[in-house]
Amino acid sequence: MNDDLDFAFDFDLDKLAPADASSEEEEPDGLWPGDLKVLPQHHSAPNRSHSFVLAHDQSATWGIPSTPQLVAIVVARDLSLSTFTLETSHHATASFAQNWLVERGCPPEQIGVAGSDYPKPDDDLTLQVEQQIRESGTRYEVLDTHTSDHDPSETWVLTRDSSASQAPIRVFHEEWNHDAGTYTMREGAFADMGAADSWLNDRSGPLPEPPEYSSRNGAVLRARIARTALARSAAASTTPKSGLDATRTPPTAGAVQRPGQERLL
């Protein structure tokens, strides 16, 4: 599959008929195939009955501010009837997109972004939180998302955790370091939507950790991450640093063009 996605050609749909009305759209959900840069993809063997794709919608960086930039795509083919169904879903982070694909039958090990142009996780806690999201099934109800190409370059996903006995409103906050080609993901816990909104609007303190982080496993993990960060800091102090990028202009309301640094790629 090329970076620029052609639904009929890349998904072998030219000899198949859509099985329902939603699958009839040549460019579903307003997507333009030329805007989609494919990240991981998986096609089931031996007859490619299913295809799973995670792609970056490059047009989102020029559209309405805060719009999710990742698209998950599933194609299911019924070769006995010569029909297909096609589903798409927009997501703010790769881990939530992967969760959506896994819930529709994609093997988790086949849809990782490692080795693609996607930036790399910066620490162990990021890896743990992302794995938790990928394997969560329908645990998290997504209430809102926000993606910013500007300083700070970040994404957050506001959710309700159906498994949480305390502080069920969870914020997953992803922050990007373009110079290093890395990002961090953190989980915050709040008693209600009002408390979460206050933190997102004010950022007056650190992201509150979930109560379950106080367990022994969480303490051990944080200690290991602290040691890793200390080692990185010591190594970085001996390496000349390049100048920082110029501050980017904050986004304005409405649909605007936002040239320059893309958040994802």
Side-chain angles (χ1 to χ4, degrees):
M1 183 180 293
N2 298 322
D3 279 352
D4 293 343
L5 196 61
D6 183 318
F7 287 100
F9 177 79
D10 292 318
F11 289 135
D12 296 329
L13 303 182
D14 54 333
K15 296 181 180 179
L16 302 177
D20 51 41
S22 63
S23 301
E24 290 181 359
E25 298 292 333
E26 184 178 350
E27 294 162 355
D29 287 348
L31 296 175
W32 293 88
D35 291 330
L36 299 181
K37 182 171 185 178
V38 175
L39 299 171
Q41 57 182 300
H42 172 67
H43 305 279
S44 59
N47 58 4
R48 288 171 59 98
S49 62
H50 289 75
S51 292
F52 305 90
V53 172
L54 176 55
H56 176 220
D57 182 1
Q58 299 170 98
S59 70
T61 64
W62 296 85
I64 299 174
S66 85
T67 301
Q69 296 184 8
L70 294 173
V71 182
I73 304 167
V74 176
V75 174
R77 306 171 189 81
D78 187 333
L79 301 180
S80 65
L81 297 176
S82 296
T83 61
F84 71 90
T85 59
L86 190 152
E87 291 183 87
T88 64
S89 182
H90 292 77
H91 299 272
T93 73
S95 49
F96 275 97
Q98 290 162 334
N99 168 269
W100 188 86
L101 291 167
V102 169
E103 282 296 287
R104 281 150 184 80
C106 184
E109 67 277 6
Q110 298 294 339
I111 205 65
V113 294
S116 71
D117 292 333
Y118 202 80
K120 305 299 183 285
D122 186 60
D123 54 28
D124 288 344
L125 185 52
T126 295
L127 292 171
Q128 183 192 50
V129 173
E130 289 193 308
Q131 181 180 4
Q132 174 182 309
I133 295 169
R134 281 194 300 271
E135 299 175 356
S136 64
T138 58
R139 171 179 172 179
Y140 297 111
E141 176 191 0
V142 175
L143 306 173
D144 196 9
T145 72
H146 177 87
T147 298
S148 173
D149 290 322
H150 303 274
D151 289 329
S153 185
E154 65 175 10
T155 287
W156 52 256
V157 181
L158 178 65
T159 73
R160 179 176 285 107
D161 183 354
S162 62
S163 297
S165 58
Q166 303 178 58
I169 302 302
R170 300 297 169 95
V171 170
F172 292 94
H173 181 257
E174 190 175 83
E175 190 165 9
W176 294 65
N177 182 337
H178 291 289
D179 291 335
T182 61
Y183 66 94
T184 57
M185 170 78 85
R186 298 292 184 261
E187 177 185 5
F190 300 88
D192 51 44
M193 288 283 291
D197 285 340
S198 293
W199 186 88
L200 289 168
N201 290 329
D202 301 336
R203 309 294 176 95
S204 56
L207 188 63
E209 287 189 344
E212 57 268 26
Y213 277 31
S214 62
S215 67
R216 181 177 181 274
N217 288 339
V220 170
L221 177 60
R222 290 197 302 277
R224 185 168 72 246
I225 292 167
R227 289 195 297 271
T228 301
L230 182 62
R232 287 176 176 163
S233 177
S237 66
T238 64
T239 304
K241 294 181 173 61
S242 59
L244 296 175
D245 288 342
T247 301
R248 292 186 287 270
T249 304
T252 57
V256 295
Q257 284 192 334
R258 292 172 287 164
Q261 180 79 63
E262 290 186 4
R263 188 185 73 91
L264 291 176
L265 304 170

